[in-house]
Amino acid sequence: MTDVLYRWPEAARFGKSIPKTKFYERVVVTPAVRARFVAEVDGITWAYKLAESTINLPPSEEVPEIQVFVVKAKGADVDNSVLTTIDKAIKQPVIFEVVSTQGTRMTATLKAGVPGGRYYSTEWGQGDRRQPLPPSITLPNLYAALLDPLLPNAIRPDEQVSDIAARLAEMSRLERDISALTRKLKAEPQLNRKVLLRQALKTQQASLADLTNPAHASTHDEELRNS
């Protein structure tokens, strides 16, 4: 992770303050999540709309626009359930900037394909040092580039958003399998069973290493695309 923040294009500025109640109207919100909105959120701004009409990059069905929301926290941070509620209300991909007493961080989730709606985040940055948007030829290409500093592993060349989601989902599954096999191996008293578990563990670890390699797509990746 890095503490990168982007200098969003002035042409894409939207700058609309959104009352919290608007999200309650559009999404079913539990009392616990509503309480988090009240306790943790000072304000929500729909800050930028990155679209063909604003930055002249062609969209796709997967990424028709990219929305940038600034969530100002009352304290140190906001819970992911708050971000999830906003994401559910906004159908297009959303990049969040969370501003708190710790500084500013950028965070997002891929809207499909990753179990649990996991949010990926930069580190907290101090001040407002910003860099230009990554060079891009399409909105999906830009979205992938914006996600890159948030993700645990680098995006591969020409990797599409659906490919990224599939690879992250498979990595999560392999990490769970590796943890389960490691626990079984430690608890297994029989030598012959230990040998089989070690073999299975090495296979899963090799698959995970292959998926985390940023340089190339493997046979495993091709299987993911075709599954």
Side-chain angles (χ1 to χ4, degrees):
M1 290 191 303
T2 66
D3 62 354
V4 65
L5 291 173
Y6 290 111
R7 191 181 310 123
W8 307 107
E10 190 60 32
R13 183 182 292 276
F14 192 56
K16 185 175 181 180
S17 179
I18 309 294
K20 302 172 197 177
T21 52
K22 289 294 183 183
F23 299 103
Y24 307 160
E25 292 170 6
R26 300 192 66 174
V27 180
V28 176
V29 179
T30 66
V33 172
R34 188 184 292 250
R36 286 196 177 275
F37 267 88
V38 173
E40 299 176 1
V41 178
D42 189 46
I44 301 167
T45 303
W46 193 337
Y48 296 90
K49 290 172 69 74
L50 307 179
E52 186 172 25
S53 60
T54 60
I55 59 172
N56 200 31
L57 292 180
S60 70
E61 185 176 346
E62 195 173 39
V63 186
E65 293 183 356
I66 304 166
Q67 313 303 338
V68 180
F69 275 71
V70 176
V71 180
K72 186 177 180 183
K74 290 182 178 180
D77 206 350
V78 296
D79 190 75
N80 282 347
S81 61
V82 170
L83 305 181
T84 299
T85 301
I86 298 171
D87 254 320
K88 286 179 178 178
I90 306 298
K91 301 308 179 186
Q92 299 91 7
V94 178
I95 302 289
F96 290 99
E97 286 189 3
V98 179
V99 182
S100 81
T101 55
Q102 299 188 77
T104 303
R105 68 183 177 95
M106 190 168 64
T107 184
T109 186
L110 281 80
K111 294 220 168 182
V114 182
R118 179 178 174 183
Y119 278 82
Y120 301 93
S121 177
T122 62
E123 295 174 349
W124 291 101
Q126 303 299 321
D128 200 36
R129 300 184 306 276
R130 292 177 179 266
Q131 62 187 48
L133 292 185
S136 305
I137 59 173
T138 66
L139 281 175
N141 181 245
L142 175 61
Y143 183 50
L146 294 175
L147 291 173
D148 197 33
L150 281 62
L151 300 177
N153 299 94
I155 292 173
R156 292 167 172 170
D158 301 321
E159 195 169 32
Q160 301 301 309
V161 176
S162 56
D163 300 328
I164 298 166
R167 186 158 65 98
L168 290 171
E170 183 65 4
M171 285 166 57
S172 295
R173 185 191 68 78
L174 287 169
E175 286 167 353
R176 292 193 300 272
D177 288 351
I178 287 168
S179 295
L181 284 168
T182 301
R183 289 193 299 270
K184 286 181 181 179
L185 183 60
K186 288 180 179 179
E188 180 56 57
Q190 296 184 22
L191 181 58
N192 61 335
R193 284 286 300 155
K194 278 184 176 291
V195 170
L196 293 174
L197 286 170
R198 282 198 188 96
Q199 289 174 345
L201 182 59
K202 285 181 179 179
T203 298
Q204 298 293 65
Q205 288 171 332
S207 295
L208 181 60
D210 200 31
L211 284 173
T212 56
N213 185 340
H216 64 89
S218 65
T219 303
H220 195 90
D221 296 308
E222 292 299 325
E223 291 173 354
L224 285 177
R225 281 198 193 94
N226 297 327
S227 60

